[in-house]
Amino acid sequence: MNASNGVAFTPRTCEELFGVWAGQPEARLLAGGTDLLVRLKKVAAWPPLIALERVSELRGIQCVNGWLQIRACSTYCELAEDHFVQAYAPALAEAARDVGAPAIRARGTLGGNLANASPAGDSIPPLYVADALVELRSAAGTREVPITEFFRGPGQTLLQPQELICAVRLPIRRGWREAFVRLGQRAALTIAKVSVAVAVRVERDVVQEARIALGAVAPTVIRAREAEVWLCGRRLDEKTCEAAGAAAARAAEPISDIRSVADYRRAMCAVLVREALCRVSGQRGVHEHA
Amino acid sequence: MSYTLHINGQLVSVQAPGTARLLDVLREELGLTGTKEGCGEGECGACAVHMDGQLVNACLVLVCQAEGHEITTIEGVAAQARWRPLFDAFVECGAVQCGFCMPGMVMAAAALLRERPRPSEAEIVRGLSGNLCRCTGYRKIITAVQRAGERIASGS
Ligand SMILES: Cc1cc2nc3c(=O)[nH]c(=O)nc-3n(C[C@H](O)[C@H](O)[C@H](O)COP(=O)(O)OP(=O)(O)OC[C@H]3O[C@@H](n4cnc5c(N)ncnc54)[C@H](O)[C@@H]3O)c2cc1C
Ligand code: FES
Ligand code: FES
């Protein structure tokens, strides 16, 4: 048995939580545990844990004044099944449907995925293309940062000591189409090797605005801004999708690691962007996923 | 610390540190050894139980988190007559070899069948995707779940 004499707190409100945290500055937050408990398995002496399980302020998904607000402890199951998320953040719903396996989707949370800050975190590219804001809270108050500025590097974020993610807010936009595509070693379990989210606003077949986000091809998730600009004013036909894929892949700066080599990731990036764009354009992608 | 857990329809009180894994509490404090430990990191599903009806890995849930939720283990599922056809189908289809993965497989199958009484093959593969079996090659397990679904749904 691990850490059989560790200490765990289960506050019910954020106020209570910050009170506990002030007295235990070295404590770690525990949401679904699907990252943290795996990591602690290799650790002999656990830090005190503060479980978010019962903090009701951190749960729930709602629409407020033109924004979709997703609280941090929403699980992948909740994201995948929520009608607002399906309607206003379809790429996020799609990503959530494919994370891990059922038992991981039942426990893993959006806040945990963001705080973990893996460049392969599946919820992140969809939030990039939705222009999401991350709401952070500490005893001193709340602040909001654009998702594209929240990550500093692998495992690194803007979170300050004793600050937590309380929610993510997405502007409710009309007329946008989104898609999420990922490529992993084994669909169910591995962290996505390369993942792509796209969002486009199309009028009379012509792209007005575009967002392309690439996961696992750089130290953080990135936007392929040149490809986005290039797409504007064009028709989303097969050739355009293909060329945009190639342009987006030029933004990738993949590191070679065990999961795959850099060139392969860059090549896949082009394929996945093409596929995601084909999908939002209504054409069938070349590379269909189960 | 003292925790009150709701397990297989009963309230039980356990003494454990808050960071004890639900898996260890089930096996070592409560003697519910049907739940197995394979990897201890969420990859294999041998430790799967239901929490408020949802499939979760008991190796990644701490006792302090489990309090307040309804937990069902393989022992609880085995005691329910409605799931009898599921166990029968596994046996009939030859879907069991060493048996180590079976409690988790059955828990995953039961969670799936509750939501989708007649799942397609693709849905079964998806529903069992967090459960590893080193013996059977999965084919017979899929057939067993299909057969159990048919029988439970048709009430025979
Ligand atoms: C078998 C398996 C498969 C997986 N598959 C995928 C996959 O396909 N795609 C994917 O992206 N990930 C995957 N993961 C990783 C993991 O499930 C996700 O990253 C998940 O979203 C983590 O959320 P959690 O609630 O479990 O986080 P936890 O493990 O509870 O916490 C992770 C980190 O975030 C911190 N934290 C949690 N909540 C907050 C908060 N509100 N504010 C500040 N800090 C916080 C914790 O202190 C900890 O450092 C997988 C993991 C496993 C074990
Ligand atoms: S022992 Fe829990 S998933 Fe393997
Ligand atoms: S029967 Fe042996 S692991 Fe599945």
Side-chain angles (χ1 to χ4, degrees):
Chain A
M1 197 186 297
N2 299 303
S4 47
N5 44 17
V7 186
F9 300 89
T10 48
R12 285 172 187 275
T13 63
C14 283
E15 204 189 329
E16 195 188 328
L17 185 157
F18 290 121
V20 170
W21 217 353
Q24 308 273 339
E26 77 288 18
R28 296 292 302 268
L29 300 181
L30 172 67
T34 60
D35 276 318
L36 185 60
L37 295 180
V38 173
R39 245 180 292 137
L40 287 179
K41 198 184 164 219
K42 294 158 198 108
V43 174
W46 287 20
L49 299 179
I50 303 178
L52 304 181
E53 195 81 20
R54 285 190 235 309
V55 186
S56 48
E57 290 157 82
L58 297 177
R59 306 202 76 99
I61 299 171
Q62 57 200 142
C63 288
V64 198
N65 300 330
W67 293 79
L68 173 61
Q69 185 195 50
I70 306 174
R71 302 254 176 81
C73 288
S74 302
T75 63
Y76 292 108
C77 278
E78 289 162 355
L79 294 173
E81 283 163 18
D82 187 87
H83 293 298
F84 290 135
V85 178
Q86 288 170 1
Y88 302 127
L92 181 60
E94 228 175 306
R97 239 188 329 269
D98 277 342
V99 162
I104 300 298
R105 291 194 289 275
R107 295 293 295 163
T109 67
L110 182 62
N113 201 228
L114 299 184
N116 200 47
S118 159
D122 275 326
S123 71
I124 303 170
L127 294 178
Y128 268 51
V129 301
D131 295 332
L133 300 175
V134 189
E135 221 177 297
L136 307 177
R137 186 160 165 187
S138 67
T142 60
R143 60 179 179 133
E144 246 177 8
V145 293
I147 184 86
T148 46
E149 291 166 26
F150 179 66
F151 302 100
R152 283 280 164 248
Q156 291 176 322
T157 68
L158 288 186
L159 278 170
Q160 293 295 307
Q162 294 178 52
E163 188 174 43
L164 57 73
I165 301 167
C166 61
V168 165
R169 292 204 305 147
L170 290 65
I172 292 175
R173 312 179 295 198
R174 311 269 163 187
W176 285 74
R177 288 190 235 154
E178 300 184 1
F180 174 81
V181 197
R182 73 184 228 168
L183 185 81
Q185 233 143 17
R186 203 176 122 228
L189 286 183
T190 32
I191 302 275
K193 208 190 288 190
V194 179
S195 58
V196 162
V198 302
V200 293
R201 190 167 62 80
V202 179
E203 265 172 35
R204 272 172 259 101
D205 286 342
V206 176
V207 176
Q208 308 296 314
E209 289 180 85
R211 310 263 187 277
I212 301 173
L214 313 176
V217 295
T220 65
V221 172
I222 52 169
R223 287 261 300 269
R225 299 204 189 248
E226 279 178 30
E228 292 174 358
V229 171
W230 183 85
L231 264 179
C232 291
R234 291 175 199 267
R235 277 171 191 281
L236 269 187
D237 54 26
E238 232 178 295
K239 259 198 173 142
T240 308
C241 295
E242 170 113 34
R250 284 195 286 277
E253 3 166 336
I255 38 167
S256 291
D257 64 12
I258 303 171
R259 287 208 184 86
S260 83
V261 290
D263 288 347
Y264 175 68
R265 283 192 171 183
R266 200 176 288 112
M268 283 307 107
C269 190
V271 172
L272 295 188
V273 170
R274 179 187 64 192
E275 152 138 10
L277 288 170
C278 281
R279 244 211 256 159
V280 290
S281 74
Q283 306 167 38
R284 265 177 84 80
V286 185
H287 178 116
E288 277 294 321
H289 287 255
Chain B
M1 286 285 290
S2 174
Y3 292 94
T4 304
L5 300 181
H6 198 279
I7 295 181
N8 297 333
Q10 290 191 313
L11 284 177
V12 293
S13 167
V14 295
Q15 294 293 325
T19 52
R21 301 180 305 173
L22 175 61
L23 174 61
D24 298 314
V25 170
L26 291 173
R27 289 181 56 85
E28 285 160 35
E29 302 296 317
L30 302 172
L32 295 169
T33 53
T35 305
K36 305 297 180 206
E37 171 157 17
C39 63
E41 18 191 281
E43 300 269 356
C44 77
C47 65
V49 299
H50 296 172
M51 208 156 104
D52 300 330
Q54 271 185 316
L55 191 73
V56 305
N57 293 322
C59 69
L60 296 184
V61 177
L62 303 185
V63 64
C64 69
Q65 299 177 292
E67 194 177 45
H69 295 287
E70 262 182 52
I71 314 284
T72 308
T73 68
I74 186 70
E75 289 87 353
V77 166
Q80 291 172 36
R82 66 183 286 221
W83 295 117
R84 195 66 248 164
L86 182 55
F87 290 84
D88 292 344
F90 269 86
V91 175
E92 281 166 28
C93 294
V96 186
Q97 289 188 27
C98 82
F100 192 80
C101 68
M102 281 300 138
M105 285 288 177
V106 170
M107 295 311 283
L112 171 69
L113 292 178
R114 199 160 31 212
E115 252 180 43
R116 298 225 132 239
R118 283 199 172 89
S120 67
E121 176 162 340
E123 286 168 335
I124 296 174
V125 168
R126 222 176 119 74
L128 302 185
S129 60
N131 295 74
L132 300 182
C133 174
R134 294 169 57 142
C135 304
T136 66
Y138 304 100
R139 185 67 257 166
K140 291 176 175 174
I141 294 178
I142 293 166
T143 309
V145 176
Q146 242 153 4
R147 188 179 294 188
E150 290 293 328
R151 286 205 198 143
I152 295 169
S154 68
S156 62

